[in-house]
Amino acid sequence: MSNSIETVSPFSEAHDDERLVADAVAGDRGALEALVQRHQPWIYNLAFRMVMVHDDAEDVTQEVLIKVITKLSSYDSTRGAFRTWLYRIVANHVITMQSRGYEAAITEPDAYYSFVTQVPDEEGDGSPETQLVVSDLAIGCVMGILLCLNRTDRLVFLLAVGFDVTDVVGGEIMDLSREAFR
């Protein structure tokens, strides 16, 4: 991923994805690269939030991108926006993939609680280091509880809260009604 490319949310409406798809399908490698560069960070971020391990998230991202690239010619713009098609592939992949990362170890609240009880219960000294540890533990608790959700519910939560995806777009991606996504 190049640092010179501006990251624009794929969930915004201001994209020329359909033109890039058409050009990529016609053999334009630059269009394919632009499409990948636009969506790869978002796919990675979603994958990371599902598995919470960098290497596993990179693997998931690559698996999804291979699926997208090999199926790109099947995209039909008359059936919906490219981002909906793409992120439905992402959603289906992360929902059906094998357990990885922390997800494989933490499958229910009791497993996570047993991990948390191993953390020493001492009064902090108020130092910046202790405050960082407390902050990390709080974030870890939220992540642990997220891991206890089934993948579909976790993905809906991550799309809505982590990516500010609207109920309209989220419903399209997850193939749910707006109300069910909310």
Side-chain angles (χ1 to χ4, degrees), residues 2-182:
S2 171
N3 290 334
S4 64
I5 302 297
E6 181 182 337
T7 303
V8 178
S9 173
F11 305 110
S12 71
E13 295 296 331
H15 285 303
D16 56 352
D17 284 340
E18 280 73 13
R19 180 190 57 79
L20 289 173
V21 169
D23 292 349
V25 169
D28 182 343
R29 293 178 63 101
L32 181 61
E33 185 177 316
L35 213 50
V36 167
Q37 286 181 343
R38 174 177 294 154
H39 294 281
Q40 184 175 10
W42 294 89
I43 295 168
Y44 171 82
N45 283 326
L46 190 55
F48 182 80
R49 292 174 188 197
M50 290 295 286
V51 299
M52 292 188 230
V53 173
H54 170 72
D55 290 342
D56 289 333
E58 281 187 337
D59 290 345
V60 170
T61 301
Q62 291 306 312
E63 291 164 8
V64 167
L65 287 172
I66 288 168
K67 283 182 179 180
V68 169
I69 291 168
T70 58
K71 295 179 180 183
L72 196 56
S73 63
S74 71
Y75 167 66
D76 179 0
S77 62
T78 64
R79 297 187 67 201
F82 175 75
R83 65 151 189 240
T84 304
W85 178 84
L86 170 66
Y87 285 93
R88 189 169 290 160
I89 291 173
V90 175
N92 289 337
H93 185 83
V94 298
I95 288 170
T96 60
M97 69 185 179
Q98 287 186 325
S99 293
R100 307 170 190 231
Y102 289 112
E103 178 187 49
I106 301 174
T107 58
E108 58 185 29
D110 289 340
Y112 186 70
Y113 295 146
S114 69
F115 167 75
V116 171
T117 60
Q118 296 174 24
V119 176
D121 190 17
E122 300 175 11
E123 287 293 317
D125 60 7
S127 70
E129 293 83 9
T130 301
Q131 291 173 354
L132 274 174
V133 169
V134 169
S135 177
D136 284 349
L137 184 58
I139 292 168
C141 286
V142 171
M143 293 174 135
I145 295 303
L146 278 176
L147 285 171
C148 295
L149 294 174
N150 69 52
R151 285 182 177 169
T152 302
D153 291 344
R154 186 174 351 138
L155 186 55
V156 167
F157 178 84
L158 290 172
L159 287 170
V161 175
F163 292 94
D164 286 329
V165 172
T166 66
D167 56 347
V168 173
V169 174
E172 290 172 357
I173 291 170
M174 298 298 297
D175 200 20
L176 299 169
S177 69
R178 292 174 62 184
E179 294 76 19
F181 184 81
R182 272 193 300 248

